[in-house]
Amino acid sequence: MLEEIRIGVYVCHCGSNIADKVDCPAVAAYASQLPHVVVARDYQYMCSDPGQELIRQDIKELKLNRVVVASCSPRMHEPTFRKVCESAGLNGYLYEMANIREHCSWVTEDPQQATEKAKALVRAAVARVVHHEPLFERWAPVNPNILVVGGGIAGIEAALKVAAAGNKVWLVEKSPSIGGNMARLDKTFPTLDCSACILTPKMVSVAQDENITLLTYAEVEQVEGYVGNFRVTIRKKARSVDLNKCTGCGRCQEKCPVEVPSEFEAGLAMRKAIYTPFPQAVPNKPAIDREHCRHFTRTKGKCRVCFNVCQVGAIDYDQEDELVTYECGAIIVATGYGLFDPSVGPQWGYGRYDDVITAIQFERLVNASGPTKGKVVCKDGRVPERIAILHCIGSRDENYHPYCSRICCMASLKLAHLAREKTGAEVYNFYIDLRAFGKGYEEFYNRILEEGVNFIRGKGAEVTQKDGRLVVRGEDTLLGRYREVPVDLVILNTALEPQPDATKVAQIFGIQRSADGFFLESHPKLEPLKTATDGVFIAGCCQGPKDIPDSVAQGAGAAAEALSLATAGKVKISPVVASIDPDLCSGCRMCLPLCPYGAISFNEEKKVAEVNETLCKGCGTCAASCGSGALNVRHFTRNQILTQIEEVLAV
Amino acid sequence: MTNGFEPKIVGILCNWCSYAGADLAGISRLKYPANIRIIRVMCSGRVEPSFVLKAFQKGADGVLVSGCHPGDCHYMEGNYKMARRNVFIEELLASFGIEKGRYRQTWISASEGEIFAQVVREMVEEVRKLGPFPGLGARLKELAAAEGGK
Ligand SMILES: Cc1cc2nc3c(=O)[nH]c(=O)nc-3n(C[C@H](O)[C@H](O)[C@H](O)COP(=O)(O)OP(=O)(O)OC[C@H]3O[C@@H](n4cnc5c(N)ncnc54)[C@H](O)[C@@H]3O)c2cc1C
Ligand code: FES
């Protein structure tokens, strides 16, 4: 005999978040009339301990075998109430949630309409839950190996932390060396410690750590599998240099006849076609840039200078890209940021005037190992007497990026200090607001003020030339006056933006992006490192602009996330997967090519399709196209959805 | 507001993008008409033509189906499959004499709360103008009568 269906309905006030618009007692009263409903209650906070206890008691005392909670989004608290049911001995899938907060009270102006809508949503949930079946989560083992993508400070920190725990980690870096943007900085605010001095020891530790396998000049091409059990395909780009033979002596780079603007020096100096990006690079061994190398471009193999000067025979022109696979349980993506190109705005004169440079170029200019050996000079060699630093170039600007890039205020203060220290020049900072938000930042700002830097409150609107001298124009909003400041050097502090290939990277790893284009975290406050794909974490500036302390904290945090998966050794796999009724399957095989995971196979003996539940992720695309109705997705069955549609329309 | 008619619209949204986008509209306290009732599916690829028809059969005046932007589907290709099936859905609805404005298929990401709210506002306005949908049976009769009258 069929078991009698006994449903409990719980309408949450969420303090006033729901109750302000939805008449919760009325919704509960309405629910109590619905078929199979044994009890319907409304309560202040269903997710609180007493709220949860209410459900538990009812399940036991009233012998409930179905539960509906009408509260927030299931994306928020579905797991909470599923656990509540389970702790009272009820299968967690015999419960359904009605979203009367995000989809109802918060978006509806009129309380009466909100209440009606809430009734409809609850009615649909009650009707749906009748058709729910108990489902059982499975456990899958977790591969303890971890992958880190991006070797900036965030990725480096993550890799070192994972390795310190004893787990194996592969660190994949796109460029020929790790270090990222931090390697290009001179000093770091607010303490002014030298960037290389604090970064290079960490880079060296990466190279020396037995648990870390470093793949530079490499990119991830494909990610298959699921949390705990990823299979990653990595393309090791042909470096044309055998890293095992190369000693890093540098002769090849001396002799190479081809010069290319150096990315590391932000175009202020040239590098060779065979190059190590910077002196402290890890690995400290070169790569041939085939796009520019004469051997590969112009002379059809005739230029062999590097090959000839190499004493250990490390140059290998025939090297090909290599695809390697890596199996791991968790992935940390730390691919960092790109920088806004100010030449798109002619008003700033970048690209037009030699002495308009970007902040990252200035970082290289003041750096002792930079193109001028640390001398701050104009293009013609003069030491600048007056320098302007323009904040927020491309940030907080509706025409480019509406967001604040966070670090520019502090970086501009730092550059003002360095400029004065190196040149004694008068320095003018054009700013909109000064945001000194971090530990020690306000103190740093005060210090720079005392050093005699001039602050002009107003965006540097235009850079022009007058009598052979650069002039920065802008409105001083404090004085209410238009200013023209003649200077010798202009520094544009450009916005941090998503990497140019962020779209592709997001797709490879199944990461979503926020409106600004940076990678989207699962929850802005409570899950800053998780993504929509279980087992894939993000850290550092790929999630949004941030300073080094925050990038490091996120790197370490992401390592902890990955390690907690690895240490648990097993992970729950959702039972929401496709299932096939062999009696109905006509064996047409339409579903086979539809599955992106290859989870459906054809049983030649029985002439029916079969689902591999470990591979299936439950999207339901197969079910939607099954002509004979044999395919279904558990917890999203045809019957459940159709019932829900029918009932949501009944109010 | 015209003629006091409050259309009923069913929104079938994928969990990862559009449903999350609708959540974001709520979190951001954006306001949109209460006429839409949202049904969650894991992926837009799950949406069967019968889901849309059922809605119209059971009293919906409009149906919205929304998934992740092309390339962003959590299951890689579900939305492409949906897009292909959508051609069929639109033909099917046309054969039932269901006006174009009553059905909409969009891509809305988890960060596009404002776009979601805007889509709902537009759709409610459009459907309001079209007036109540008489139901599949009645519409077919209307069609037949029009055919016979020719
Ligand atoms: C002008 C300027 C001055 C600054 N000054 C300071 C300062 O004084 N103090 C401070 O705290 N912060 C400062 N910052 C901020 C600082 O640079 C960042 O906080 C920090 O570099 C972020 O590190 P990250 O690892 O997240 O990203 P990144 O440093 O950008 O590193 C990302 C790494 O990932 C690699 N990568 C990218 N895509 C891929 C891919 N698809 N596959 C594999 N690898 C990939 C990149 O090559 C790179 O090595 C400054 C920034 C700027 C622009
Ligand atoms: S998950 Fe959104 S369309 Fe597939």
Side-chain angles (χ1 to χ4, degrees):
Chain A
M1 208 190 74
L2 279 181
E3 177 195 32
E4 180 205 357
I5 305 271
R6 299 175 63 81
I7 306 175
V9 179
Y10 302 87
V11 183
C12 182
H13 293 211
C14 194
S16 60
N17 281 308
I18 295 173
D20 260 2
K21 293 288 182 183
V22 173
D23 182 345
C24 298
V27 174
Y30 172 79
S32 68
Q33 317 276 320
L34 295 170
H36 306 296
V37 173
V38 175
V39 61
R41 303 181 194 276
D42 61 292
Y43 188 73
Q44 272 286 317
Y45 286 104
M46 281 315 303
C47 62
S48 66
D49 273 347
Q52 298 188 16
E53 193 47 38
L54 209 59
I55 302 178
R56 256 182 235 119
Q57 262 180 10
D58 282 354
I59 292 176
K60 288 186 188 140
E61 286 167 15
L62 303 174
K63 304 210 170 6
L64 301 182
N65 52 22
R66 297 288 190 283
V67 169
V68 169
V69 179
S71 58
C72 48
S73 170
R75 294 173 51 87
M76 179 86 197
H77 269 314
E78 190 172 61
T80 312
F81 296 113
R82 188 163 280 160
K83 267 198 210 119
V84 172
C85 293
E86 278 162 4
S87 67
L90 183 67
N91 184 281
Y93 287 81
L94 295 174
Y95 131 81
E96 173 70 1
M97 215 160 165
N99 183 346
I100 61 167
R101 193 179 73 174
E102 282 84 342
H103 292 186
C104 186
S105 68
W106 276 349
V107 292
T108 310
E109 207 78 71
D110 177 52
Q112 205 182 331
Q113 286 182 355
T115 304
E116 285 305 293
K117 184 171 177 179
K119 285 181 187 170
L121 295 173
V122 169
R123 181 185 174 113
V126 167
R128 186 192 207 274
V129 82
V130 171
H131 299 284
H132 281 203
E133 289 161 7
L135 297 176
F136 300 90
E137 276 145 355
R138 291 161 302 132
W139 293 90
V142 173
N143 185 325
N145 297 345
I146 286 159
L147 172 72
V148 176
V149 185
I153 186 61
I156 289 175
E157 185 66 22
L160 287 173
K161 283 282 184 296
V162 170
N167 292 55
K168 296 283 177 213
V169 51
W170 278 26
L171 175 57
V172 174
E173 163 63 45
K174 182 158 117 176
S175 72
S177 169
I178 55 172
N181 278 299
M182 187 176 167
R184 308 208 281 177
L185 307 180
D186 181 49
K187 303 282 188 304
T188 53
F189 62 74
T191 44
L192 294 178
D193 31 4
C194 137
S195 192
C197 310
I198 55 178
L199 175 65
T200 44
K202 286 202 180 259
M203 292 166 59
V204 172
S205 304
V206 166
Q208 290 174 344
D209 200 305
E210 288 181 348
N211 285 331
I212 302 179
T213 303
L214 179 59
L215 301 178
T216 50
Y217 216 44
E219 271 177 78
V220 172
E221 281 214 339
Q222 200 189 10
V223 177
E224 297 162 283
Y226 54 96
V227 53
N229 300 275
F230 292 110
R231 199 182 142 83
V232 183
T233 310
I234 300 157
R235 177 177 295 272
K236 287 170 72 181
K237 287 173 281 186
R239 195 177 184 115
S240 317
V241 173
D242 184 337
L243 289 183
N244 292 324
K245 291 186 186 160
C246 173
T247 61
C249 73
R251 276 174 66 93
C252 52
Q253 308 189 48
E254 265 169 45
K255 302 289 178 202
C256 173
V258 182
E259 292 209 320
V260 184
S262 157
E263 297 84 359
F264 183 80
E265 299 293 356
L268 290 183
M270 303 302 272
R271 62 156 169 92
K272 296 298 180 62
I274 181 164
Y275 73 111
T276 312
F278 53 103
Q280 306 95 326
V282 169
N284 206 328
K285 296 177 183 178
I288 293 185
D289 161 8
R290 290 189 177 181
E291 246 179 71
H292 296 99
C293 169
R294 220 172 260 181
H295 180 89
F296 292 95
T297 54
R298 282 199 280 140
T299 57
K300 300 223 168 58
K302 276 201 204 116
C303 177
R304 301 175 72 81
V305 172
C306 52
F307 182 87
N308 293 336
V309 299
C310 181
Q311 291 168 335
V312 293
I315 306 294
D316 177 1
Y317 296 124
D318 298 327
Q319 214 177 58
E320 282 176 14
D321 285 8
E322 191 187 340
L323 290 180
V324 291
T325 53
Y326 179 57
E327 291 183 358
C328 60
I331 299 173
I332 297 169
V333 177
T335 47
Y337 62 93
L339 284 166
F340 174 70
D341 174 7
S343 62
V344 303
Q347 67 273 32
W348 298 305
Y350 185 76
R352 189 148 39 103
Y353 306 124
D354 284 339
D355 291 321
V356 177
I357 63 173
T358 63
I360 197 77
Q361 286 178 320
F362 190 76
E363 294 273 0
R364 297 312 305 148
L365 214 52
V366 282
N367 191 282
S369 62
T372 55
K373 306 265 175 297
K375 267 206 216 121
V376 174
V377 285
C378 297
K379 183 81 180 210
D380 63 7
R382 267 180 313 133
V383 175
E385 287 166 14
R386 294 162 69 88
I387 299 176
I389 302 177
L390 276 50
H391 298 213
C392 303
I393 300 300
S395 311
R396 304 184 65 194
D397 185 333
E398 287 305 327
N399 297 318
Y400 306 104
H401 299 301
Y403 58 81
C404 162
S405 287
R406 274 174 79 94
I407 57 99
C408 329
C409 278
M410 297 309 296
S412 295
L413 297 178
K414 172 184 74 176
L415 298 186
H417 165 86
L418 294 175
R420 278 189 67 72
E421 186 183 64
K422 291 269 167 147
T423 63
E426 276 296 320
V427 177
Y428 298 86
N429 276 48
F430 284 80
Y431 70 102
I432 312 180
D433 297 294
L434 256 165
R435 298 182 167 174
F437 59 92
K439 190 168 175 173
Y441 288 10
E442 184 69 15
E443 293 85 334
F444 184 63
Y445 171 38
N446 287 328
R447 169 180 168 184
I448 304 301
L449 274 177
E450 279 164 24
E451 287 178 7
V453 172
N454 305 294
F455 285 88
I456 298 174
R457 185 166 185 207
K459 198 161 181 168
E462 196 184 9
V463 180
T464 54
Q465 211 167 23
K466 207 177 187 178
D467 308 328
R469 205 171 197 192
L470 291 174
V471 176
V472 180
R473 295 174 201 224
E475 191 192 337
D476 187 329
T477 55
L478 285 184
L479 297 179
R481 205 148 53 84
Y482 188 70
R483 299 271 305 254
E484 283 194 357
V485 180
V487 291
D488 304 305
L489 185 68
V490 174
I491 302 169
L492 304 175
N493 214 329
T494 51
L496 273 62
E497 50 182 32
Q499 291 279 16
D501 62 351
T503 311
K504 192 182 101 196
V505 173
Q507 287 176 1
I508 290 174
F509 294 98
I511 303 173
Q512 297 184 325
R513 301 204 295 154
S514 37
D516 53 21
F518 288 102
F519 294 160
L520 183 67
E521 62 281 6
S522 281
H523 189 281
K525 283 126 200 164
L526 303 178
E527 291 188 334
L529 309 171
K530 289 189 176 171
T531 67
T533 301
D534 282 346
V536 174
F537 307 101
I538 47 177
C541 289
C542 62
Q543 181 266 349
K546 52 180 68 65
D547 54 14
I548 296 166
D550 285 358
S551 301
V552 170
Q554 287 207 333
E561 291 274 15
L563 285 169
S564 68
L565 260 177
T567 310
K570 57 179 185 173
V571 62
K572 254 189 200 169
I573 300 292
S574 164
V576 177
V577 290
S579 67
I580 298 179
D581 182 341
D583 295 337
L584 293 179
C585 177
S586 67
C588 73
R589 305 184 203 197
M590 281 280 286
C591 50
L592 267 70
L594 284 179
C595 179
Y597 308 106
I600 309 179
S601 57
F602 191 70
N603 184 328
E604 289 292 350
E605 220 167 277
K606 297 185 190 151
K607 300 281 179 233
V608 291
E610 284 174 349
V611 175
N612 178 336
E613 295 194 1
T614 324
L615 295 179
C616 174
K617 297 197 184 180
C619 67
T621 301
C622 56
S625 38
C626 176
S628 33
L631 252 164
N632 235 322
V633 187
R634 301 208 172 104
H635 214 55
F636 287 88
T637 65
R638 196 163 295 118
N639 199 6
Q640 289 165 354
I641 297 172
L642 289 177
T643 306
Q644 200 181 359
I645 292 175
E646 178 167 350
E647 295 297 324
V648 86
L649 286 163
V651 179
Chain B
M1 203 188 288
T2 54
N3 58 23
F5 159 56
E6 288 300 338
K8 281 182 189 166
I9 294 175
V10 173
I12 309 178
L13 313 185
C14 85
N15 178 62
W16 302 98
C17 292
S18 300
Y19 193 94
D23 276 359
L24 181 63
I27 293 163
S28 321
R29 311 296 202 274
L30 304 175
K31 296 289 182 265
Y32 59 79
N35 308 62
I36 186 157
R37 278 110 206 242
I38 295 167
I39 309 273
R40 180 169 71 129
V41 286
M42 291 314 277
C43 175
S44 68
R46 176 72 189 92
V47 179
E48 301 182 19
S50 69
F51 296 179
V52 179
L53 268 191
K54 180 75 162 193
F56 281 115
Q57 186 195 350
K58 292 294 175 183
D61 301 295
V63 176
L64 169 72
V65 173
S66 188
C68 312
H69 285 276
D72 289 352
C73 171
H74 189 66
Y75 309 97
M76 299 185 308
E77 301 164 0
N79 51 0
Y80 290 118
K81 307 281 158 56
M82 169 57 204
R84 259 191 265 161
R85 200 176 301 133
N86 193 51
V87 178
F88 171 67
I89 293 180
E90 286 182 353
E91 278 172 14
L92 189 72
L93 297 182
S95 73
F96 275 99
I98 297 173
E99 300 92 328
K100 273 211 165 89
R102 294 194 188 275
Y103 173 71
R104 204 158 153 176
Q105 193 264 310
T106 56
W107 310 129
I108 295 173
S109 83
S111 59
E112 294 175 336
E114 178 53 51
I115 294 184
F116 176 76
Q118 192 51 32
V119 164
V120 176
R121 287 180 206 123
E122 285 169 19
M123 224 186 138
V124 169
E125 263 334 289
E126 194 160 359
V127 175
R128 208 192 286 284
K129 275 189 211 131
L130 288 169
F133 181 65
L136 286 182
R139 180 50 59 91
L140 282 178
K141 268 186 211 143
E142 281 173 27
L143 284 181
E147 195 68 19
K150 261 187 200 161

